[in-house]
Amino acid sequence: MSTDYNYDEKGQFFPYFILTICGLVTLPLTYSSLKPSKELENTAPRIHTDFRPPDGDVVDAQRRRQWRRERKLKRMVTAFLGWLVIGWMVYLIISTARTLPKIWDPYDVLGISRSLSEKAIRSHYKRLSLKFHPDKIRPDPAKNQTAESLNNHFVELTKAYKALTDEEVRNNYIQYGHPDGKQSMSIGIALPKFMITEGNGKYVLLVYGLLLGVLLPYVVGRWWYGTQRVTKEKVLVASAGKLFREYDEAMSEAKAVGALSVGDEFGEVLRSEQAEEGIATIEKRILAEQSGAGPLLTDKDRVLLAGLDGGMRRKVLGLLWAYLGRVDLGDATLNAEKYEVAPIAFALNESLLAICLAYSNVGSILASYYTSQNLIQAVPPLGSPLLQLPHMTSKVSRAIEGPNAKHRFSVQRFMRIPENERRRLTIGPGLMTESQYQVAMGIARQIPFLKVERAFFKVVGERFVTPSSLVQFVVKARVVPPGTTSIPDLSEADLEDVDPEEGDIEALLGRKPSRNKGVKLAAPTSGAAPDEDNAEQPPLAFAPYFARDHSPRWHIFLSDSKQGKMAVPPFTFTSFDKPMFTGEGKPTLAVQTLKMQFQAPPQAGQFTFVMHLVCDSYIGTDTKMEVTMDIEEMGRAEAMVGEDEISEPDEDSLAGQMASLRRGSLSGGTSTKRKSKGKSRPGATVRGAAGTTNQQKKPRVEEVRDDAEEREQVDDEDDDEDEDDESDTDGDEDDTSDTDTDTDSDGD
């Protein structure tokens, strides 16, 4: 039996091959291009405002460019071309006529019915023999008949006759489908014949060599080395190494800005021919710029800038300071570069934060977090937090804070000023107009300030914290935007954290909120009831100068105030279990629960930590508080639990009567029986700075960059005594603000 290989000369089958290969590539590309993104920035709501900064068109253009980059335009184009090829192949499949191989059938050859008997078949064959025998018939040229074709036709008739009458021939037909036995096999290859035509073989080999020897290794190598050249923060390894060398334990926010300028990523923005263009213009503008009551750059910052050799880093550092100071550089190209370097610096700051966390120095960690806030809000270090509001300038902030103010106003403190006084300080010639003031107030009332109501330690299912146990640090807080009035008081149920039921594995692992049937969860004080099955994201950060969308993140970590070291690494929170705002944009004031889990120290005693709650998007919304964890010895904790489980004797018994006599009464009301219900008692394990939480006293909360109202009143009285006839522009001149970046940025 021979084998013949036939190529697809008529194009019947190779479209199926091309369609299959193209579909294997096009379908995954199409899915990855069109599937909804799960990035926080693509799913979070936005703060409603019509405000546009002076260079809003430049910022929007860069956001659109980044959007096209994230949507992978090349991938979408490749998928589109793939669908064109698929459509072409489908058209060829539909339009090309098929030639199917004909199956040899003796009945069709003889032209008889399958129901004829063998005698009738013999009689029919005899008639055909008389008619088509080569000796009886002559070729007809009009019908293109030849002696050979007539002879072949008679041979086919004979084979068909024998297949139906001769036993041996019939067995061959039944077994092999042909009276002559096994036939040659023909294999069709779904490739066009021109690929194997003589003279084209070298080109086919060249294409195969390019695909398998060049393109495939290039794609795999680029993917592999691309993953190896960046860190998990998606920063170049070379840039991370430079940031490591720039690290300093006493790092300030300004020094962090200088360290970020070493990144190699800036080379994508500033090409080699543009690396030194405009340096003189940039430095001239930023050195002359004033920020608040002083220059934009301090003496140390000027020395650092002047000490850099001319080149890309010096220009990048100048552009960063121009961005933070919102300095107009007078050139469209320089202004575009100014807004483009800020998101790159923000990404590099993530790598710098990882380095700071590795060293565990609280001062450098906070400096990195504060630098993130400054980059998103385009506010320089030590700048006024009021600059986060639209239409707010340094001149307006000085008018609000006073010319001799020692500290900055936070947005919360600014919104606590009475409405009439706030208008008087903000609206006027050279300040804000009425419409600008309303826009600024609208944004201020949408800033998600997380106010901590209570914080405590607990162990799930236990009443005490024991050595080396798995501890949960629970923070109960409410989102209270600045300027919110009529804040209702909280009940004890709002501040409790109920352990999940024993069978609720998902809740025990922290994957979903607990559903304890015996306890009713507190609903928000206003707005719709929360949906616990859906995580609620905060609105995107209001950052009109930042050329990227950013979803706010809250970081909580514990530190040792004595050593200035981090004790528990940060836990990051990007969403909450209850809605923060209603559909109308009003705050729900619902109590949010934030939890972080870690292992308790191995020895018993009292351990005092400092909790830092830092938002990476807004300045002056951070919280700092002391929390104390009581760790009981295992034996003592079990003994205390046993004592609580012993119930008092009934009064009807002799022991009950004796106990009543000892209390000074022969009979009394029904005595209370103490029972252990298996709930954790955080009040028995945590003492805050203001007393034990067992008495439901709230721990002392010190808002970093945000002073308490009592301290505010004392400062106002002191300032009034110091000032004689000097005008009081804001009613409490020289008022001590809640923002003291000189003293609070180091975590002390």
Side-chain angles (χ1 to χ4, degrees):
M1 180 184 65
S2 61
T3 303
D4 297 332
Y5 293 93
N6 300 321
Y7 286 86
D8 193 12
E9 300 182 17
K10 299 182 180 180
Q12 297 184 76
F13 303 108
F14 86 86
Y16 292 95
F17 173 76
I18 302 297
L19 179 65
T20 303
I21 298 299
C22 218
L24 292 175
V25 177
T26 304
L27 292 178
L29 283 178
T30 305
Y31 174 75
S32 63
S33 301
L34 299 180
K35 72 174 182 178
S37 176
K38 295 183 180 180
E39 295 291 333
L40 295 174
E41 285 70 21
N42 296 322
T43 57
R46 295 179 179 272
I47 290 180
H48 303 289
T49 180
D50 297 329
F51 172 74
R52 287 178 59 82
D55 294 329
D57 295 337
V58 178
V59 177
D60 291 342
Q62 293 189 11
R63 286 178 177 173
R64 288 193 296 269
R65 189 182 304 117
Q66 178 65 18
W67 179 85
R68 289 193 296 269
R69 190 178 306 166
E70 291 177 352
R71 294 300 297 175
K72 297 178 176 59
L73 187 60
K74 294 180 181 179
R75 181 176 299 181
M76 298 181 69
V77 171
T78 305
F80 177 74
L81 294 176
W83 282 110
L84 289 180
V85 174
I86 289 176
W88 181 34
M89 293 298 106
V90 171
Y91 170 76
L92 291 178
I93 292 173
I94 296 175
S95 61
T96 302
R98 296 185 183 181
T99 57
L100 299 176
K102 188 176 181 181
I103 300 176
W104 192 84
D105 188 355
Y107 293 97
D108 290 341
V109 173
L110 295 174
I112 59 177
S113 174
R114 296 179 180 274
S115 60
L116 289 179
S117 63
E118 184 175 344
K119 183 178 180 180
I121 293 175
R122 292 178 184 275
S123 176
H124 181 73
Y125 173 70
K126 288 181 180 180
R127 289 194 299 270
L128 293 177
S129 298
L130 295 175
K131 182 178 179 182
F132 294 105
H133 196 278
D135 297 336
K136 303 291 184 180
I137 190 172
R138 296 288 180 268
D140 186 359
K143 298 180 180 180
N144 291 328
Q145 292 180 346
T146 62
E148 183 178 1
S149 64
L150 293 175
N151 186 52
N152 291 337
H153 180 62
F154 184 75
V155 170
E156 288 294 319
L157 292 175
T158 303
K159 288 181 180 180
Y161 169 70
K162 290 184 177 182
L164 298 177
T165 56
D166 187 89
E167 184 176 356
E168 182 178 355
V169 177
R170 180 182 297 178
N171 291 334
N172 287 337
Y173 170 68
I174 295 173
Q175 186 174 359
Y176 302 109
H178 200 277
D180 294 337
K182 290 184 179 181
Q183 301 295 305
S184 61
M185 183 175 60
S186 177
I187 299 176
I189 301 177
L191 292 175
K193 192 174 183 180
F194 72 84
M195 294 183 64
I196 49 88
T197 303
E198 185 177 359
N200 294 341
K202 55 184 178 181
Y203 301 109
V204 175
L205 291 177
L206 179 62
V207 172
Y208 278 124
L210 291 176
L211 290 176
L212 301 179
V214 178
L215 183 60
L216 183 60
Y218 170 76
V219 172
V220 175
R222 184 176 180 182
W223 167 79
W224 172 254
Y225 288 108
T227 57
Q228 296 299 311
R229 65 194 295 260
V230 297
T231 64
K232 65 179 182 179
E233 292 84 17
K234 298 184 179 179
V235 172
L236 294 175
V237 174
S239 300
K242 294 179 180 179
L243 289 172
F244 179 79
R245 290 189 289 271
E246 293 289 329
Y247 171 78
D248 186 3
E249 291 184 0
M251 180 179 293
S252 62
E253 299 167 48
K255 193 168 184 179
V257 174
L260 297 178
S261 62
V262 302
D264 292 344
E265 286 82 354
F266 295 108
E268 300 177 1
V269 179
L270 307 176
R271 305 298 179 184
S272 58
E273 63 274 7
Q274 301 175 348
E276 299 187 10
E277 292 183 2
I279 292 181
T281 302
I282 296 172
E283 294 183 358
K284 181 180 178 181
R285 297 271 181 154
I286 63 176
L287 293 177
E289 182 70 17
Q290 296 289 318
S291 175
L296 176 62
L297 275 70
T298 62
D299 294 339
K300 292 183 179 180
D301 301 330
R302 293 169 183 262
V303 171
L304 175 61
L305 182 62
L308 298 176
D309 297 332
M312 185 179 67
R313 183 182 178 185
R314 185 164 184 169
K315 182 177 181 180
V316 168
L317 184 55
L319 290 172
L320 285 176
W321 280 112
Y323 167 79
L324 294 173
R326 305 179 186 178
V327 180
D328 184 10
L329 299 178
D331 182 85
T333 302
L334 293 178
N335 281 329
E337 293 174 348
K338 172 184 68 176
Y339 291 111
E340 199 163 358
V341 298
I344 299 176
F346 181 81
L348 290 170
N349 189 54
E350 295 294 323
S351 181
L352 179 62
L353 175 62
I355 297 173
C356 295
L357 291 174
Y359 280 98
S360 301
N361 290 303
V362 175
S364 59
I365 294 174
L366 292 177
S368 180
Y369 280 134
Y370 295 157
T371 302
S372 170
Q373 299 173 355
N374 294 332
L375 288 172
I376 290 180
Q377 295 298 334
V379 175
L382 308 181
S384 174
L386 297 180
L387 296 176
Q388 301 174 104
L389 301 179
H391 304 296
M392 186 68 67
T393 62
S394 298
K395 183 178 180 180
V396 179
S397 65
R398 285 197 301 269
I400 296 172
E401 297 168 351
N404 299 321
K406 300 177 182 178
H407 304 283
R408 301 295 189 185
F409 273 43
S410 68
V411 178
Q412 299 93 287
R413 180 180 177 185
F414 172 62
M415 296 299 291
R416 285 198 297 265
I417 299 176
E419 176 69 19
N420 295 335
E421 183 67 15
R422 191 166 63 235
R423 284 176 173 273
R424 185 184 68 80
L425 295 173
T426 310
I427 301 175
L431 302 177
M432 287 188 185
T433 63
E434 177 64 27
S435 60
Q436 292 175 342
Y437 173 80
Q438 294 298 334
V439 172
M441 294 301 99
I443 294 297
R445 293 187 177 96
Q446 297 183 69
I447 294 178
F449 169 59
L450 199 61
K451 181 182 178 183
V452 177
E453 301 291 350
R454 187 187 179 196
F456 55 90
F457 299 92
K458 61 172 287 188
V459 176
V460 176
E462 301 293 338
R463 301 179 60 188
F464 301 97
V465 178
T466 55
S468 301
S469 60
L470 198 59
V471 179
Q472 281 189 352
F473 180 62
V474 183
V475 176
K476 294 288 186 176
R478 290 191 289 182
V479 175
V480 183
T484 303
T485 58
S486 303
I487 302 176
D489 295 331
L490 295 176
S491 63
E492 294 183 5
D494 294 322
L495 301 179
E496 286 183 356
D497 186 68
V498 182
D499 290 341
E501 296 179 347
E502 293 183 1
D504 197 351
I505 303 299
E506 296 292 325
L508 289 172
L509 296 177
R511 297 174 182 173
K512 69 175 184 179
S514 61
R515 293 183 176 275
N516 196 314
K517 299 179 180 179
V519 178
K520 294 183 178 180
L521 298 179
T525 53
S526 61
D531 184 5
E532 296 179 354
D533 294 332
N534 299 322
E536 298 291 336
Q537 280 189 246
L540 292 177
F542 175 74
Y545 299 94
F546 193 65
R548 299 288 187 275
D549 290 334
H550 182 73
S551 181
R553 292 160 172 81
W554 281 265
H555 308 274
I556 300 179
F557 68 96
L558 302 180
S559 67
D560 186 349
S561 59
K562 296 180 180 180
Q563 299 180 0
K565 293 287 187 177
M566 177 182 64
V568 180
F571 280 65
T572 301
F573 300 90
T574 58
S575 58
F576 300 95
D577 54 350
K578 297 177 183 177
M580 292 170 291
F581 296 94
T582 62
E584 295 78 17
K586 297 181 180 180
T588 62
L589 303 179
V591 177
Q592 311 290 349
T593 302
L594 309 178
K595 295 182 181 181
M596 52 190 295
Q597 194 165 261
F598 57 95
Q599 190 174 15
Q603 63 273 12
Q606 285 191 352
F607 296 86
T608 300
F609 301 98
V610 176
M611 184 207 73
H612 299 270
L613 190 153
V614 184
C615 178
D616 70 343
S617 303
Y618 294 102
I619 303 173
T621 60
D622 310 324
T623 301
K624 176 181 176 183
M625 64 181 292
E626 287 187 355
V627 289
T628 301
M629 177 167 55
D630 287 345
I631 301 181
E632 301 288 350
E633 292 286 358
M634 183 66 70
R636 184 179 178 186
E638 293 177 355
M640 295 173 66
V641 171
E643 291 177 1
D644 288 344
E645 291 178 349
I646 298 176
S647 59
E648 295 183 3
D650 294 333
E651 291 187 356
D652 296 338
S653 63
L654 180 60
Q657 293 293 336
M658 294 178 65
S660 299
L661 290 174
R662 284 197 300 268
R663 289 196 300 265
S665 61
L666 293 177
S667 62
T670 304
S671 59
T672 303
K673 297 183 180 181
R674 293 178 294 175
K675 296 182 181 179
S676 175
K677 296 185 179 180
K679 294 184 180 179
S680 63
R681 292 174 55 187
T685 60
V686 181
R687 293 187 178 91
T692 62
T693 56
N694 190 31
Q695 299 174 353
Q696 299 299 333
K697 292 185 179 180
K698 297 181 182 178
R700 177 173 57 87
V701 178
E702 178 190 352
E703 297 177 2
V704 179
R705 302 184 175 191
D706 189 4
D707 63 337
E709 296 182 0
E710 293 81 358
R711 207 172 72 194
E712 197 174 303
Q713 296 174 359
V714 173
D715 291 338
D716 293 343
E717 294 175 359
D718 294 341
D719 292 337
D720 292 340
E721 292 176 0
D722 294 339
E723 299 296 333
D724 295 332
D725 297 329
E726 193 173 340
S727 62
D728 189 1
T729 58
D730 61 348
D732 52 359
E733 188 179 51
D734 278 347
D735 194 5
T736 301
S737 168
D738 31 350
T739 303
D740 187 354
T741 55
D742 290 336
T743 60
D744 289 340
S745 61
D746 61 351
D748 296 333

